[in-house]
């Protein structure tokens, strides 16, 4: 395990929060260059860590739908930016994620 992944593993998000590492922006597919306007819309990431889940008013925990390793579709804006060992990660609430990619 690399040092940065070990540092990320020590961070446990609270409640329904999800720690995501954005996928690299694809600037070229084969011999075709992807325009910058299209690059910003490619918001995918990999779930690195998840919290236990949201709480109801009665105190019960609602299970998370995503799991570590899931590839997710991210909103264009939002999320809390974190830097761990010079790598960028984003903290989202599970409800902010747009979907899980298969």
């Amino acid at each position: 395990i690399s040092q940065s992944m070990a540092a990320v593993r020590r961070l446990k998000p609270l409640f329904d929060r999800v720690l995501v590492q954005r996928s690299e922006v694809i600037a070229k597919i084969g011999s075709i260059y992807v325009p910058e306007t299209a690059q910003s819309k490619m918001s995918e990431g990999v779930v690195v860590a998840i919290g236990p889940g949201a709480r109801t008013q009665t105190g019960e925990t609602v299970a998370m739908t995503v799991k570590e390793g899931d590839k997710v579709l991210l909103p264009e804006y939002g999320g809390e930016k974190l830097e761990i060992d010079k790598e960028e990660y984003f903290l989202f609430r599970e409800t902010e994620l747009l979907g899980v990619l298969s």
Side-chain angles (χ1 to χ4, degrees), residues 42-66:
M42 294 182 182
S43 296
E44 296 177 8
V46 177
V47 175
V48 179
I50 61 170
R55 296 262 172 103
T56 64
Q57 289 182 346
T58 59
E60 296 175 35
T61 302
V62 178
M64 299 287 278
T65 351
V66 295

